[in-house]
Amino acid sequence: MRGRKVAILGVGLIGGSLAAALSRAGGEWQVAGYSPGDDAQIARALGHLDSACATVGEAVQGAAFVVIAAPVPTMPALFAQVRESLEPQAIVTDCGSTKRSVIEGARAGLGDAFLRFVPGHPIAGSERSGAQAADPDLFRGRRWLLCPVDATPAQHCAAVARLLAPTGAKVETLDPLLHDRIFAEVSHWPHAVAFALSAAIAGHDLSEPALGYSGAGLRDTSRIGASSPTLWADILLDNRDLCLESAQRFSDRIDEIRAALRDGDRDALVRIFSTASRWRNRLA
């Protein structure tokens, strides 16, 4: 007989991988999942869920923890639905890639239960998506950030950290605004760049030969350009002000490179590339 119930709302890559890790841990958790499509049924068939629920209320009822791993634009409505069935002591957390709007959605949707909400973000992923891509080791050795507000009780953060222990993730805390600033720079805008590079090649008359002649350099540079277009459109729009700041810095560097190429200025290119290379070589 499995132990306490955890409800996972959104059983795609992230939610499905969390379910897989918790299920693999043995009898400590009874894992229930809900997704509006067929992801929960797929995860149940793969053995990652104990139950695939037909409604949010069914999944949340009796749960000690509720993990919202759905797309960020759907979260405000989910928070309101969660509130209707939430147990009096249950803790809610999320896996959203942005934090400011998620926190405001939780504040509005959860009401008094907002004090039991711990904003979160696992720093792991793949260009693959859906429950069929779930991997119980997806989070192992990776950061899982908790982004509490001032009112979030410390014991709730500690409880979420204990829940996540079977994933092997390194749980850390980060201020929500700083989170959105950092991830605009290191994740959100870089995805836009990868999409833009891939789109530029796809729109050229050599796009088909490029598929056959490209090597590891293009594959490495454009890998995340194979990610879910709808997911990343939503993330960038949700964090648009900070992404636009990153975009401007990127555009400035592109303009400098174009000017150096136009002028045949090798020294300028070397200077720009050297600054980039020194920083990239420090990247773990």
Side-chain angles (χ1 to χ4, degrees):
M1 180 70 180
R2 286 189 179 269
R4 292 186 299 166
K5 181 179 179 182
V6 55
I8 299 177
L9 308 182
V11 194
L13 172 68
I14 298 299
S17 296
L18 175 59
L22 294 175
S23 294
R24 187 175 66 179
E28 183 177 1
W29 296 106
Q30 174 195 353
V31 188
Y34 165 80
S35 282
D38 57 3
D39 275 335
Q41 286 73 25
I42 293 171
R44 176 71 180 89
L46 291 171
H48 302 330
L49 294 176
D50 295 294
S51 58
C53 301
T55 66
V56 170
E58 180 187 350
V60 171
Q61 187 173 17
F65 288 91
V66 177
V67 181
I68 300 181
V72 167
T74 70
M75 286 192 186
L78 279 173
F79 285 126
Q81 291 177 270
V82 163
R83 180 183 181 182
E84 297 174 2
S85 303
L86 194 64
E87 297 295 322
Q89 302 302 317
I91 294 172
V92 182
T93 188
D94 80 294
C95 300
S97 296
T98 57
K99 293 275 69 80
R100 291 174 298 166
S101 67
V102 170
I103 288 168
E104 289 311 305
R107 195 188 304 275
L110 291 175
D112 292 343
F114 177 71
L115 289 177
R116 290 182 274 130
F117 174 60
V118 180
H121 180 200
I123 312 306
S126 167
E127 65 274 15
R128 301 174 65 207
S129 61
Q132 64 274 12
D135 176 1
D137 291 315
L138 182 69
F139 311 110
R140 187 162 301 280
R142 308 299 295 273
R143 288 187 174 94
W144 195 306
L145 299 176
L146 302 182
C147 302
V149 298
D150 290 343
T152 309
Q155 66 265 28
H156 293 344
C157 294
V160 172
R162 289 193 296 271
L163 169 70
L164 299 175
T167 70
K170 299 183 292 185
V171 179
E172 301 177 7
T173 59
L174 185 66
D175 173 80
L177 176 57
L178 181 57
H179 169 281
D180 285 3
R181 290 182 62 202
I182 289 173
F183 283 91
E185 199 77 3
V186 304
S187 176
H188 305 163
W189 180 246
H191 273 79
V193 171
F195 281 120
L197 175 61
S198 298
I201 298 172
H204 195 273
D205 60 6
L206 294 177
S207 62
E208 290 304 311
L211 293 172
Y213 285 95
S214 61
L218 182 61
R219 285 195 298 272
D220 291 347
T221 305
S222 64
R223 179 184 63 80
I224 56 176
S227 301
S228 167
T230 54
L231 171 70
W232 282 99
D234 289 339
I235 290 171
L236 270 95
L237 285 170
D238 193 73
N239 204 22
R240 73 182 76 182
D241 55 338
L242 297 175
C243 286
L244 285 170
E245 291 180 15
S246 296
Q248 184 59 60
R249 285 188 292 276
F250 180 80
S251 179
D252 291 344
R253 299 295 82 73
I254 289 291
D255 287 346
E256 290 173 1
I257 291 170
R258 291 175 62 187
L261 286 171
R262 183 182 62 246
D263 298 340
D265 190 343
R266 182 179 183 275
D267 290 342
L269 288 175
V270 170
R271 183 174 65 255
I272 297 165
F273 295 168
S274 294
T275 298
S277 181
R278 284 193 299 271
W279 182 87
R280 178 60 179 81
N281 284 328
R282 296 171 58 203
L283 184 62

